[in-house]
Amino acid sequence: MTTMPPSSVQSVRVELANRSYSIHVGSGLIKTAGDYIAPLLKQPRTIIVTDSNIAKHWLAPLQASLEASGISCQAIVLEPGEKTKSFAHLNELVCDLLSARIERDTVIIALGGGVIGDLTGMAAAITLRGIDFIQIPTTLLAQVDSSVGGKTAINTPQGKNLVGAFHQPKLVLADTDTLQTLPERELKSGYGELVKYGLIGDAAFFEWLENNGHRVLAGDQDAVQHAVVKSCQAKAHLVAVDEQENGLRALLNFGHTFAHAFEAETGYSSKLLHGEAVAMGSIMALATSERTGSCPPGRAERLRKHFSATGINHKLSEVAQSDWHPDTLLDHMRLDKKVSDAKLVFILAHDIGDAFITNDIPESVILDILEAGLAG
Ligand code: NAD
Ligand code: GLY
């Protein structure tokens, strides 16, 4: 990957009245982070929260940039992995922030993937009844999704992201250079989430991904930047019209009712990454749409072919153990947030690029789809 000059940075605005903020996307943003962050600070003090994998590559350049702008920046380095999104780690992080004598005007910077972003955002939402935070997403998944929109959360034994808060960041700096150090499987997992923007509302973007997805995954800067900007534009629009997910924002959960059940069954472990689960769930959402007659045939197969061509793990049968059962997966779905009046909520599609929300799918259809997915 070649580093482009900062002038190539593109920006997207999330319009939320006095909580509006910018997302900047491009190469070299960590090296120049101080320039973007300094004007937002009421005191020249930040605390960076990151994990040890990310710290190895990106903490020193971020600290150097902040210090060059006269901003102090203590760092808290956590263990990597989904298990860090827990009450225990939230407790520890809040205590560390308080021990560092954080003040209302100190800004927290989340430098990392969705795990660090969700946990740090949650800590920022509750510490001193809410302090400002900035997202510097370092995974593809975080750049196209989790760093934008203000959903923060931790997991509990009952399920994923069931405890959380809406707390918007003040700024998002998506430095595409960070993807150079991201393990390939993580990059591909992020791609599983990225594809949903084509599936839910932009058939032309899905077609672009069919033709250019391999460039995104090969780290072609123009392709990565285009994909991240398109995704952030789509997400910024949905967040602006429905910040707290009372309606349209739920479209972003395409494939997620299925995905969260698979993640619960694997115990949120590295056996199945979030974006991989979403890739599997997205195929099943299209299969459900076809089965219930809302979508013409062939769409699930088209998506399956795209995931195969790009090498994304998308086969439930390759992850599932012999003791996995459709009924157990359905039980996990019932514990998900996407339940309304005791009915499961699904995001289905009339076609690729035209998704809708429904709570009217018979459980027998879901059981059939799960059975077919487990069979491979
Ligand atoms: P992650 O945060 O666990 O990061 C993946 C792995 O890559 C970790 O091991 C991390 O240490 C490492 N890593 C991150 N950036 C790196 C880099 N640049 N170089 C080297 N290693 C790096 O996983 P993720 O896929 O980013 O996030 C998944 C989480 O995001 C899930 O908990 C999911 O629920 C959440 N999520 C939240 C939202 C939201 O709207 N808040 C949306 C989607 C997903
Ligand atoms: N990732 C789904 C949302 O932010 O609403």
Side-chain angles (χ1 to χ4, degrees), residues 51 53 82 85 114-115 118 138-139 146 151 160 178 181 186:
D51 77 30
N53 291 336
E82 188 70 34
K85 257 179 68 174
V115 165
D118 280 11
T138 62
T139 63
S146 63
K151 276 190 184 175
K160 206 170 152 63
T178 58
T181 59
E186 295 290 350

Side-chain angles (χ1 to χ4, degrees), residues 282-343:
S282 298
I283 294 172
M284 290 188 195
L286 286 177
T288 308
S289 309
E290 291 176 23
R291 179 76 66 89
T292 51
S294 44
C295 173
R299 296 340 187 230
E301 186 50 30
R302 184 172 164 193
L303 181 59
R304 195 176 290 120
K305 271 192 188 141
H306 180 53
F307 285 140
S308 284
T310 38
I312 316 292
N313 293 335
H314 62 281
K315 291 189 183 149
L316 182 63
S317 57
E318 288 178 2
V319 177
Q321 306 291 309
S322 53
D323 60 350
W324 283 35
H325 196 276
D327 286 322
T328 326
L329 295 173
L330 194 62
D331 280 343
H332 288 309
M333 289 183 185
R334 292 194 185 101
L335 272 173
D336 202 67
K337 288 189 297 315
K338 290 173 275 302
V339 172
S340 153
D341 284 340
K343 284 181 152 186

Side-chain angles (χ1 to χ4, degrees), residues 239-258:
V239 169
V241 297
D242 178 23
E243 184 184 7
Q244 301 219 342
E245 200 173 299
N246 297 308
L248 278 185
R249 181 170 178 166
L251 293 175
L252 293 166
N253 299 329
F254 193 85
H256 283 60
T257 309
F258 290 101

Side-chain angles (χ1 to χ4, degrees), residues 85-87 153-164 264 268 335:
K85 257 179 68 174
S86 66
F87 258 122
I154 53 168
N155 305 323
T156 62
Q158 289 76 16
K160 206 170 152 63
N161 298 333
L162 293 181
V163 176
Y268 310 113
L335 272 173

